[in-house]
Amino acid sequence: MTNFSKDADSNLKSTVKPRYLVLGSGSVGFALAKELRESNKLVIIVDKDEAKVETLREEGFETIVGDISDPEIVNKIDLKNAVVILFLTSNNEANRKGIENFKKVINPDIQLFSRASDIINKEKMEDLGADYVFMPSKLVASSLSRSLERAESVHRGNRLARWLKGIREKKLAIVIHDNPDPDAISSGLALKEIAKNLGVEANILYHGRIGHQENKAFVNLLGIDLGKMEEHNLKNFDEIALIDCSIPGVNNMVPLNSYVGIVIDHHPPGETEIKAEYIDIRPNFGATATIMTKYLQQLNINISKTMATALLYGIRTDTQDFKRKTDPADLSAASYLYPLSNHGILDQLEQPSMAIETLEVLGEAIRNRQVLGSYLLSNVGNIRDRDTLPQAADYLLSLEGISTTVVFGVTEDRIYISGRSNDIRVNLGEIMRQAFGEDAGGHANAAGAQIPLGVFSATKDRQTLLRLVNEAVVKRFLSAVGVENT
């Protein structure tokens, strides 16, 4: 231990070479100094209280008596090997003066950290050149919030496990939404694995078709076992779980008002009351696959290479590679899954061939586009594969001056609508619901709807039908967003 005394001050410049200089040994400074020392860092503490300095020396710390607001303090220390200088007193003015004094003489590679009591002083210190300014109250709140999140995750994991253990030896139908995407499929796969680990037999069921070429490749390359709703009788299952959808009969073939045991989803439910024994809806998350990854982690269930690849791809597709509605939890889950995944398969999934129908629908969407301000609407006419609509909506959003796209088409009995938006003022999910009813919805920047043809189905001439559909969809959507169609 270096013995610092007043007589030795003139020699400090040549003898003290701190890596971390802590100015202020209050509760924050002392706690940090202890942490740094335990990490084998060289630490020097500066404090103006001589009695405190003496006590710190007795505890083995290298210390200097000095006032951090005094310009002469910078001449007492050799800063050549310093990495970080920390101004940790509870006195905002002293910290500001310290920053100002040290900033004049230090090497620009040295980082200045400082403590501030409020946002005004934080901004002043940053203006003086501090590299990082923290407020202890904010740090405590942030740390406590993370602990609460972990506690909530433990609580949810335990509840789900308890519910599944309660139906052990029974059969569970895991129903994912119609025409499922990788997020829904991978989430269903994760719940099936969790159920298996807890002694529950489960099947993943869906209605519609997996038409998008990337989704077909996803299922085929990973060998995912999915069952068609039409080939199974739900009465043969003891329990039902809805995954990536939340209401029986809405974007799934579960009969309306059916009893549901589990609902796990990331889509906002709107004003509809969700009824189930166990409900976990997190609309701030970008993907349901993120929620399921958290469950696998919390329940300490082994994640196979296939599972990791599926979940990672599900998160990436639903967040558009983290460019659309992405929560830190999505990034955290993806970071966890990345080293466990099959990157050869991921590369193949990212470069699938484009189906001819997709190309045709894209051509129709471009040809039939109607632009009103920054809104683009396009009627692509008759479609066989509804998955072509979101691809066209995504593509058209890249056109100059366009912030919101709506692409729609007609099958034998329904109108399908897909929308995309990058306008922060627009909540597309709410607009879709307002325009097209409860069978519509989604996120602020990606949403869809499906409408039974109803009275339009009596129209014998297909061209007349398409014209009537176009007028109805465009009128409803523009009315919902408050745009006049001239």
Side-chain angles (χ1 to χ4, degrees):
M1 180 184 77
T2 306
N3 182 24
F4 296 109
S5 67
K6 293 180 181 178
D7 293 337
D9 280 351
S10 59
N11 297 321
L12 285 173
K13 193 173 180 69
S14 61
T15 58
V16 181
K17 296 183 179 180
R19 298 290 291 176
Y20 291 85
L21 180 63
V22 175
L23 296 104
S25 62
S27 57
V28 174
F30 179 61
L32 180 61
K34 284 183 67 177
E35 288 283 338
L36 290 171
R37 188 171 67 173
E38 287 171 7
S39 301
N40 294 318
K41 302 290 194 303
L42 178 58
V43 183
I44 303 299
I45 302 175
V46 177
D47 200 287
K48 64 181 180 181
D49 186 332
E50 293 188 24
K52 188 180 289 187
V53 165
E54 196 56 41
T55 301
L56 290 168
R57 287 175 182 169
E58 290 173 359
E59 293 193 26
F61 286 98
E62 297 188 1
T63 57
I64 302 172
V65 176
D67 184 344
I68 72 168
S69 61
D70 181 359
E72 293 301 314
I73 193 69
V74 299
N75 297 318
K76 296 183 177 181
I77 308 165
D78 183 349
L79 297 170
K80 185 173 65 176
N81 295 323
V83 175
V84 180
I85 301 173
L86 303 109
F87 304 89
L88 302 182
T89 76
S90 58
N91 186 320
N92 288 309
E93 185 178 356
N95 290 340
R96 289 200 307 271
K97 287 182 177 178
I99 294 168
E100 193 172 11
N101 293 332
F102 276 83
K103 193 68 178 178
K104 294 174 184 177
V105 298
I106 62 170
N107 184 310
D109 293 335
I110 299 175
Q111 297 280 295
L112 298 183
F113 281 41
S114 186
R115 169 183 177 176
S117 62
D118 53 64
I119 191 66
I120 294 173
N121 277 292
K122 180 178 184 291
E123 290 173 353
K124 288 180 179 178
M125 292 173 192
E126 288 170 342
D127 290 341
L128 288 169
D131 298 287
Y132 176 75
V133 182
F134 70 93
M135 293 182 286
S137 58
K138 288 279 188 182
L139 287 182
V140 171
S142 178
S143 177
L144 183 57
S145 176
R146 288 193 296 272
S147 296
L148 292 173
E149 284 179 10
R150 286 193 292 271
E152 185 178 332
S153 180
V154 170
H155 175 72
R156 281 175 163 159
N158 290 342
R159 279 194 61 207
L160 178 62
R162 191 161 56 248
W163 190 90
L164 287 168
K165 287 175 181 176
I167 63 164
R168 192 172 284 166
E169 308 302 331
K170 294 184 178 181
K171 288 191 68 176
L172 173 67
I174 300 173
V175 179
I176 54 182
H177 63 66
D178 294 348
N179 308 290
D181 58 13
D183 184 32
I185 295 168
S186 63
S187 298
L189 192 64
L191 182 59
K192 182 177 180 178
E193 183 64 22
I194 293 170
K196 176 184 173 183
N197 273 263
L198 296 172
V200 177
E201 182 185 350
N203 290 80
I204 306 171
L205 307 178
Y206 76 99
H207 170 62
R209 53 197 297 267
I210 300 172
H212 193 304
Q213 62 271 12
E214 291 182 16
N215 298 353
K216 287 178 180 176
F218 173 73
V219 172
N220 293 336
L221 287 171
L222 292 176
I224 299 173
D225 183 23
L226 302 173
K228 296 280 286 184
M229 289 285 291
E230 295 86 345
E231 298 170 3
H232 292 79
N233 187 342
L234 283 179
K235 292 180 180 179
N236 294 331
F237 293 87
D238 301 291
E239 298 286 352
I240 298 172
L242 290 179
I243 303 297
D244 209 32
C245 53
S246 56
I247 304 168
V250 177
N251 204 18
N252 59 71
M253 261 190 70
V254 176
L256 288 169
N257 301 315
S258 294
Y259 161 80
V260 174
I262 294 175
V263 168
I264 300 176
D265 194 8
H266 78 117
H267 298 97
E271 297 178 0
T272 305
E273 182 184 1
I274 307 300
K275 297 179 180 178
E277 278 193 54
Y278 181 82
I279 301 170
D280 186 359
I281 298 178
R282 308 190 211 184
N284 56 307
F285 283 16
T288 302
T290 298
I291 301 173
M292 300 313 301
T293 301
K294 298 296 182 186
Y295 277 120
L296 289 166
Q297 289 177 287
Q298 179 56 45
L299 296 172
N300 199 28
I301 292 174
N302 180 57
I303 301 179
S304 67
K305 191 175 284 288
T306 296
M307 177 75 72
T309 307
L311 288 168
L312 179 57
Y313 191 66
I315 295 169
R316 287 174 56 176
T317 54
D318 244 42
T319 61
Q320 282 191 342
D321 272 329
F322 313 107
K323 296 190 290 285
R324 179 179 71 194
K325 188 171 170 46
T326 303
D327 186 88
D330 300 306
L331 298 172
S332 172
S335 176
Y336 178 78
L337 295 167
Y338 184 83
L340 305 175
S341 301
N342 186 322
H343 296 280
I345 288 180
L346 287 171
D347 288 342
Q348 292 181 66
L349 291 172
E350 288 171 355
Q351 299 173 2
S353 58
M354 180 175 283
I356 292 174
E357 184 179 359
T358 303
L359 194 60
E360 291 174 345
V361 167
L362 185 55
E364 287 296 315
I366 295 170
R367 185 162 40 250
N368 300 330
R369 67 190 185 279
Q370 307 168 61
V371 178
L372 294 99
S374 63
Y375 294 98
L376 184 153
L377 295 95
S378 186
N379 179 4
V380 300
N382 299 312
I383 58 170
R384 294 187 301 276
D385 180 5
R386 60 180 274 190
D387 281 341
T388 58
L389 299 178
Q391 294 177 78
D394 277 327
Y395 180 85
L396 293 174
L397 193 60
S398 65
L399 296 180
E400 185 177 357
I402 300 302
S403 65
T404 303
T405 61
V406 175
V407 179
F408 54 99
V410 181
T411 62
E412 287 301 316
D413 61 347
R414 286 181 181 272
I415 305 165
Y416 286 100
I417 305 166
S418 182
R420 295 291 186 267
S421 181
N422 55 24
D423 188 341
I424 60 173
R425 299 167 299 176
V426 171
N427 186 323
L428 199 54
E430 288 302 317
I431 289 170
M432 286 284 192
R433 249 190 296 271
Q434 184 181 335
F436 305 115
E438 287 303 313
D439 280 349
H443 297 293
N445 47 17
Q450 50 179 291
I451 310 169
L453 277 175
V455 294
F456 290 144
S457 59
T459 306
K460 295 182 179 179
D461 180 60
R462 199 66 179 174
Q463 290 305 313
T464 301
L465 170 66
L466 294 177
R467 180 175 55 79
L468 293 173
V469 165
N470 185 79
E471 290 173 358
V473 171
V474 172
K475 182 179 179 181
R476 285 194 191 185
F477 181 81
L478 294 180
S479 176
V481 296
V483 173
E484 202 170 312
N485 185 7
T486 55

